[in-house]
Amino acid sequence: MTASNDSSASSMWTPLALGVAVLLIAGSFFRASNAPIWHLDTWSHWKYGEWICTHGTLPTHEPFTEFADQARPLVDIWWLSQVLGYQIYSRVGMEGIALLYGLVEALKATFYLLALRRQSGSWPVAVVGLVVVLALRWNQFGVFRPQQLGELCWAALLVLAARPVLRRSEVILIALTLGLWANLHASFVLGFVLLGTQLVGRSVELYWRTRDLQPVMADADLRMRGWAFLAGFLATWLNPYGPGLWTAVVRFNAIPTLQYVAEWLPFTPMTTYSSIALVLSGIVTLIIIRLSPRRFRLEEVLLLAGFFYGSWTSARFFIWWTSLCPWVLLPHVVAILEPWQAKVPAVQGWFWRRGVFLLGAVGALALLLGSGTGHWLLTRTPRPLEQQVDAETPLEPARVIAAAVNDDQPLRVFASTVWSDYFLWQLPPQVNLFWYSHWNCFTLQRMGEGSRLRNLSLPPTDWKDVIKRNHLDIVALSRADADHPLYDYLQEQRDKPDSQWEILYPKKGDSDAQGIVARRRPQPAAR
């Protein structure tokens, strides 16, 4: 099936499909704008945005804590996303972030729908594909970090790349998309993987059929895709680092500390929602390959194999597979279903031609107005912050630590990684955090010291030496660290009169506390 035959039997179901589509798009907005913002990779990025706006330049090294690796230059690949997030938050607060997040997710869903429609030539099939995309990434909501803006650019690129023959206007749009993407998130490289695979795959196939380079050089679509690749590459130079951004991205993926971060590691199969979705989608892909009467093109094989391998070897890659897989497979699904197309029952009457779409539009409007953001837009009454952040966000522990700050001297804090990003955002500049989620700014030694401290390592790598050597004043641990010996150790210090630790949080008997905050008492000088 192609775009030209959407007027066939399945097109009778187009009004229903469009009604479902607007519900899905509105549902994406509803869910995103209502989702509590995750505690990691949000606040820290907005802190960088604040620094950039305050200083009018980009940081050359990590600017917030003495514990960072100051020998490593910082290339702030995400600067535009960070500035956007900070500007929204500083002007409108969390309701502004919720609105922006909802709009990004709704626009992403719209772009995915349009891309799948171009690929399949059918609105009903495209809507089914969109359901699959949203289902595969169901557990990804709530993390509004720069990657989400990169995904928006990726979705727009899928729309443009699905065109059978590129036009000049689309070449310009591709260049603009990639140029913007390069200032938002390092994932812009995947755009070139997509475009390059299409260009190489189609060139090889045409040469293989003709055994002649002349048709390859004369092919209008290949020529336009080559121009799109080149124009996009040059557009990525329009960033604060110029062409050097490419080198920075390559080096970023080789930073040693990232090899120990969970989302950069391979999935453990069938243990999480995403790992199960990856395995099942891989099985469905093999089934479609076996059943499809349509020949798989070289570019399709390369894209499926490459993105599945990337997802299998790095959990963070999976999000890109969730949209590419349906995007590649839908034309083959249409080809498999084509023999049954004539058996699709016809639908007639005003309700099926107009009513179902209007019903979907009314439902979509109800979702938009019924969302927390919709209520805020109508009443101008913001929701309490506690309702807009997830349960791990350390609101009260941050207030406790802030009260312990002395303006005359720095306060060095060892905190759980799940708390550290919010501390970076909320606490005054006198606070030096031992680490936070920008692991590219820290050394393997720092990660090792933190691990030894949490596990109360014995000599020669004594955990007490870690505290003394780094002059740590406060330890703040989330309940997520309750399985580490340090958490139990601090809990035991509350009732010891000679303990060197003062428990600042929680109050005695508070069973609903998010964790524990302890301050090291000043030690008497040695005689």
Side-chain angles (χ1 to χ4, degrees):
M1 185 185 294
T2 63
S4 62
N5 64 6
D6 195 34
S7 59
S8 60
S10 67
S11 68
M12 292 181 290
W13 293 89
T14 295
L16 175 60
L18 293 177
V20 173
V22 296
L23 277 175
L24 291 173
I25 293 169
S28 296
F29 178 91
F30 180 92
R31 189 175 179 216
S33 62
N34 279 20
I37 294 297
W38 205 39
H39 50 277
L40 286 178
D41 261 5
T42 48
W43 303 100
S44 57
H45 279 295
W46 303 339
K47 189 67 175 181
Y48 275 84
E50 179 186 49
W51 193 97
I52 294 168
C53 292
T54 300
H55 293 81
T57 186
L58 302 186
T60 57
H61 294 80
E62 196 285 335
F64 301 116
T65 175
E66 65 187 52
F67 294 110
D69 182 8
Q70 296 302 324
R72 181 186 298 278
L74 175 64
V75 179
D76 195 356
I77 305 169
W78 320 268
W79 73 274
L80 188 56
S81 298
Q82 294 167 342
V83 168
L84 177 62
Y86 168 69
Q87 291 289 353
I88 294 293
Y89 187 90
S90 63
R91 285 168 167 74
V92 197
M94 283 302 293
E95 288 293 357
I97 294 293
L99 175 59
L100 177 61
Y101 186 25
L103 291 175
V104 166
E105 289 297 331
L107 195 53
K108 264 200 303 186
T110 302
F111 282 154
Y112 285 139
L113 177 66
L114 295 175
L116 296 171
R117 167 63 178 81
R118 279 191 173 181
Q119 283 287 89
S120 66
S122 166
W123 282 112
V125 174
V127 170
V128 173
L130 179 60
V131 171
V132 172
V133 171
L134 297 178
L136 287 174
R137 55 176 57 218
W138 181 258
N139 67 330
Q140 300 292 322
F141 273 82
V143 190
F144 186 47
R145 54 187 178 184
Q147 180 178 300
Q148 268 55 43
L149 298 176
E151 290 175 33
L152 180 61
C153 295
W154 166 257
L157 188 62
L158 289 179
V159 178
L160 299 169
R163 174 72 69 178
V165 179
L166 288 183
R167 297 177 297 194
R168 185 175 301 175
S169 60
E170 287 159 336
V171 171
I172 295 173
L173 288 174
I174 286 174
L176 292 174
T177 299
L178 290 169
L180 175 63
W181 193 353
N183 289 276
L184 293 169
H185 193 255
S187 57
F188 72 90
V189 175
L190 294 179
F192 291 94
V193 172
L194 174 63
L195 295 176
T197 304
Q198 286 188 316
L199 180 60
V200 171
R202 296 183 188 191
S203 298
V204 170
E205 286 190 333
L206 182 55
Y207 174 78
W208 189 258
R209 288 198 309 268
T210 62
R211 297 298 197 277
D212 188 357
L213 281 175
Q214 186 61 34
V216 177
M217 303 299 294
D219 187 88
D221 179 56
L222 291 178
R223 209 164 43 239
M224 296 302 286
R225 289 184 189 276
W227 281 115
F229 190 95
L230 178 60
F233 179 69
L234 294 176
T236 62
W237 292 13
L238 301 177
N239 70 85
Y241 304 99
L245 180 67
W246 281 86
T247 304
V249 170
V250 173
R251 290 177 176 172
F252 182 85
N253 291 317
I255 292 175
T257 49
L258 297 181
Q259 314 313 313
Y260 295 89
V261 178
E263 63 180 349
W264 291 83
L265 298 176
F267 278 130
T268 301
M270 309 302 288
T271 56
T272 63
Y273 183 94
S274 294
S275 64
I276 294 172
L278 177 62
V279 171
L280 294 180
S281 62
I283 294 172
V284 171
T285 298
L286 294 175
I287 294 173
I288 292 175
I289 291 174
R290 177 66 181 85
L291 296 179
S292 178
R294 175 184 174 127
R295 183 180 65 87
F296 270 80
R297 303 177 67 170
L298 177 60
E299 66 184 82
E300 295 173 330
V301 174
L302 292 175
L303 287 171
L304 287 173
F307 276 72
F308 184 84
Y309 176 79
S311 302
W312 188 263
T313 56
S314 177
R316 191 162 187 175
F317 205 88
F318 172 71
I319 196 68
W320 312 100
W321 165 261
T322 62
S323 52
L324 179 115
C325 177
W327 186 79
V328 171
L329 293 180
L330 273 197
H332 298 275
V333 173
V334 172
I336 293 171
L337 297 177
E338 193 165 7
W340 286 273
Q341 193 178 127
K343 300 179 182 180
V344 175
V347 290
Q348 298 178 354
W350 179 89
F351 177 77
W352 289 106
R353 290 197 309 271
R354 299 283 189 276
V356 289
F357 175 76
L358 292 176
L359 193 61
V362 170
L365 182 62
L367 283 172
L368 295 176
L369 296 180
S371 67
T373 299
H375 181 265
W376 169 68
L377 290 172
L378 291 174
T379 66
R380 308 306 297 176
T381 303
R383 290 166 283 179
L385 180 62
E386 290 77 5
Q387 295 181 14
Q388 295 187 275
V389 297
D390 78 339
E392 280 291 350
T393 305
L395 302 179
E396 184 59 28
R399 286 191 280 266
V400 169
I401 296 176
V405 172
N406 186 329
D407 292 339
D408 297 331
Q409 58 186 12
L411 190 71
R412 297 174 180 89
V413 176
F414 177 86
S416 295
T417 53
V418 296
W419 279 3
S420 57
D421 280 18
Y422 184 74
F423 286 166
L424 182 70
W425 166 261
Q426 187 65 27
L427 295 178
Q430 296 95 317
V431 174
N432 279 273
L433 290 172
F434 187 84
W435 55 19
Y436 58 95
S437 70
H438 287 222
W439 296 111
N440 56 299
C441 297
F442 297 91
T443 63
L444 282 175
Q445 179 185 356
R446 183 70 58 215
M447 295 183 75
E449 285 186 328
S451 177
R452 290 194 292 273
L453 177 53
R454 289 191 299 184
N455 291 297
L456 300 185
S457 295
L458 299 175
T461 57
D462 192 358
W463 65 277
K464 295 180 180 178
D465 287 341
V466 174
I467 291 177
K468 293 176 182 178
R469 186 169 56 253
N470 293 286
H471 305 287
L472 295 176
D473 302 297
I474 284 181
V475 173
L477 297 180
S478 162
R479 283 179 299 186
D481 273 323
D483 58 339
H484 289 98
L486 179 59
Y487 191 94
D488 291 333
Y489 171 82
L490 293 177
Q491 292 276 31
E492 295 167 358
Q493 302 307 301
R494 181 185 295 276
D495 298 321
K496 292 185 177 181
D498 58 343
S499 173
Q500 71 175 80
W501 295 96
E502 176 189 2
I503 307 303
L504 302 179
Y505 171 86
K507 295 179 180 179
K508 191 172 183 178
D510 184 359
S511 59
D512 295 326
Q514 293 178 281
I516 188 168
V517 177
R519 177 169 56 189
R520 193 161 63 114
R521 291 190 172 99
Q523 299 299 299
R527 294 182 179 180

